Amino acid sequence: MRRFVVVAPRASASADFLLDDLPGTSGRLDVGLRCVRAALLLSHGVRRDAIVYLVLGGGPRAPRVMRVRGEEARFLRPDERSLAVLARKVLATSADEGAAGFVEVRQGIALAQGGLDRVVDDLAGAALYVLEEGAADLRDGALLDDADAAFFVGDSAGFDPTMRSRLAVIGARPLGVGPRSVHAEDAIAIVSNELDRRAAAGGGERPARHGDPAA
Ligand SMILES: C[S@@+](CC[C@H](N)C(=O)[O-])C[C@H]1O[C@@H](n2cnc3c(N)ncnc32)[C@H](O)[C@@H]1O
């Protein structure tokens, strides 16, 4: 299983945003929704082995986490507006209020009260990585062949020092996806692509690269 945890401290945890001005009214929930698309949607398909967590820290109902499981979620469409409509319906519910953990509010989509700790409880057994610019590259041995891995991703502002410290304390290993700073959803696409390549190569082997000795 591959899991992506998008840390979005300003993104709206409530339905109080405008579909016609998502970036300007939602604390950049649009970034999180594009991450959902990148992590879960293939061309004409859904990644059944992927889960996304949006850690939402903005607005009166925060902190709150939205979890989307590719194996079960239905009617996920790739365009941002459709995903925003879906998120607005999900976030408008109160099913998670007073609950101790995740509460499914639509098939494959669950909400939980709380922030990072709530997600960490859900990641038991997964190898933890934090996607960071300048960290050791995933193609240079920094990404191990874990059957179950979780990747923490920052939003448009990246991680603040407090979040970096928390991720270090829980043992998340820094991982880079290349020499340039890319958008969060693109970082997810690169990790997914690397994992796809490894799976296609039979698992365990890293893909061949320029300069490798001929087999
Ligand atoms: C738009 S970037 C954040 C940029 C922000 N200015 C910063 O300094 O962190 C959003 C997230 O994508 C991921 N990311 C972007 N480029 C990356 C890279 N080259 N390697 C690893 N992760 C990257 C990181 O998780 C980052 O927090």
Side-chain angles (χ1 to χ4, degrees):
M1 188 62 70
R2 53 183 82 168
R3 305 157 190 261
F4 294 94
V5 184
V6 184
V7 180
R10 289 157 294 276
S12 180
S14 69
D16 305 326
F17 53 81
L18 299 176
L19 294 175
D20 286 336
D21 184 12
L22 188 59
T25 61
S26 70
R28 300 306 311 271
L29 181 62
D30 58 307
V31 174
L33 297 177
R34 288 196 294 275
C35 288
V36 170
R37 187 201 61 71
L40 296 184
L41 295 185
L42 294 159
S43 176
H44 305 298
V46 176
R47 291 184 181 276
R48 299 176 65 81
D49 63 346
I51 302 174
V52 181
Y53 301 82
L54 300 184
V55 185
L56 305 170
R61 300 185 73 179
R64 217 172 177 199
V65 179
M66 184 163 75
R67 183 184 69 193
V68 188
R69 299 170 65 95
E71 192 172 8
E72 292 140 20
R74 299 287 174 269
F75 311 117
L76 291 176
R77 291 173 51 181
D79 66 285
E80 201 173 294
R81 190 179 177 94
S82 296
L83 290 171
V85 170
L86 177 62
R88 201 161 69 155
K89 287 179 186 160
V90 168
L91 293 170
T93 68
S94 304
D96 54 319
E97 278 178 18
F102 281 96
V103 176
E104 192 163 62
V105 296
R106 292 198 158 216
Q107 191 173 350
I109 306 180
L111 284 175
Q113 303 270 305
L116 189 73
D117 291 342
R118 185 64 68 212
V119 179
V120 172
D121 291 345
D122 217 46
L123 298 179
L128 306 181
Y129 296 92
V130 52
L131 300 186
E132 282 276 28
E133 299 152 33
D137 196 284
L138 81 176
R139 292 195 175 176
D140 289 335
L143 175 60
L144 306 178
D145 291 305
D146 307 292
D148 195 3
F151 303 88
F152 294 90
V153 192
D155 71 355
S156 53
F159 298 108
D160 66 26
T162 308
M163 182 56 68
R164 277 204 177 86
S165 307
R166 290 183 69 190
L167 293 173
V169 165
I170 63 171
R173 284 171 283 191
L175 185 70
V177 299
R180 306 296 296 267
S181 176
V182 298
H183 291 290
E185 66 268 30
D186 296 334
I188 290 174
I190 292 167
V191 171
S192 298
N193 179 260
E194 182 68 19
L195 295 173
D196 290 346
R197 286 168 182 268
R198 291 177 183 217
E205 290 175 37
R206 70 170 175 77
R209 289 197 293 276
H210 180 69
D212 280 352

